Amino acid sequence: MKQRSPRSFTNPKTRSNNGAKTSQLQATIVKPEQALSINPFGLDMKVLLSTEATGGAISVLMAWHKPGEGPPDHVHFSQEEMFFIVEGTYELTVGDQTSTVGPGTVVFIPRNVVHRFKNVGDTTACMLDWTLPGGQDHYFKAISELAASDGFTGEKVMEISKKFNTNFPAAH
């Protein structure tokens, strides 16, 4: 009788399908009052779910935009992004599609796709923002810390953006 070689079994809690070690994830519940408040670019934001809480898989932010607020064209090279409009009216441009949207709208933005949005209503608007993998919380925390210091310049914002694989095409 032919002897079989021993099979190797991995603990599903410590190894991923490709054999790489993964962190032990913990279930997380974050109440609104527990979320970290930050103010990048003068915006009111909360980090609802940090990159660390998900082992790097995702980060979730909530942002409020006053009428007329929103970023210019930008692109993320290492993350997909999803928006869920909670309240208000936004004009969104993703690639070559532009739409005016309201509450309940979901937007998926693949990496490498230029996009922008702006609150076009007359009241404060609110959106949830997921990034996959996580990391957007780190970017906005770094911008928020820069804004709180005396050294806020366009050059420093671009340095931070480059570090987080985010590009503003019109800025070049």
Side-chain angles (χ1 to χ4, degrees):
M1 185 177 214
K2 184 174 164 183
Q3 187 174 7
R4 294 184 4 192
S5 61
R7 289 185 181 173
S8 65
F9 293 94
T10 59
N11 180 340
K13 293 182 180 180
T14 59
R15 299 247 177 220
S16 68
N17 289 339
N18 66 6
K21 284 192 175 192
T22 58
S23 64
Q24 182 72 26
L25 295 177
Q26 300 292 318
T28 304
I29 296 173
V30 180
K31 296 177 184 176
E33 63 272 13
Q34 297 171 311
L36 174 67
S37 292
I38 58 175
N39 294 97
F41 302 111
L43 300 172
D44 290 326
M45 288 185 132
K46 288 193 176 213
V47 178
L48 299 180
L49 199 55
S50 70
T51 298
E52 291 74 21
T54 66
I58 190 169
S59 61
V60 182
L61 304 164
M62 184 172 267
W64 291 265
H65 302 94
K66 294 178 183 87
E69 287 184 335
D73 280 350
H74 64 284
V75 60
H76 307 288
F77 297 119
S78 57
Q79 296 169 313
E80 273 70 46
E81 190 168 31
M82 282 180 35
F83 299 143
F84 178 81
I85 308 307
V86 178
E87 58 189 30
T89 305
Y90 287 92
E91 180 183 87
L92 286 144
T93 300
V94 179
D96 60 0
Q97 299 177 62
T98 299
S99 293
T100 301
V101 301
T105 302
V106 174
V107 181
F108 175 70
I109 306 156
R111 61 187 75 195
N112 303 316
V113 174
V114 175
H115 57 285
R116 69 177 177 273
F117 59 86
K118 181 165 74 169
N119 175 355
V120 294
D122 54 9
T123 61
T124 299
C126 178
M127 69 167 55
L128 286 168
D129 179 351
W130 289 266
T131 55
L132 306 117
Q136 196 77 326
D137 56 329
H138 295 169
Y139 171 72
F140 283 120
K141 281 184 207 172
I143 295 291
S144 189
E145 288 166 8
L146 178 64
S149 76
D150 291 335
F152 192 89
T153 64
E155 292 82 26
K156 288 192 178 177
V157 168
M158 289 302 135
E159 284 175 26
I160 291 170
S161 296
K162 186 175 181 178
K163 177 182 174 185
F164 289 95
N165 290 317
T166 295
N167 186 291
F168 293 86
H172 290 278

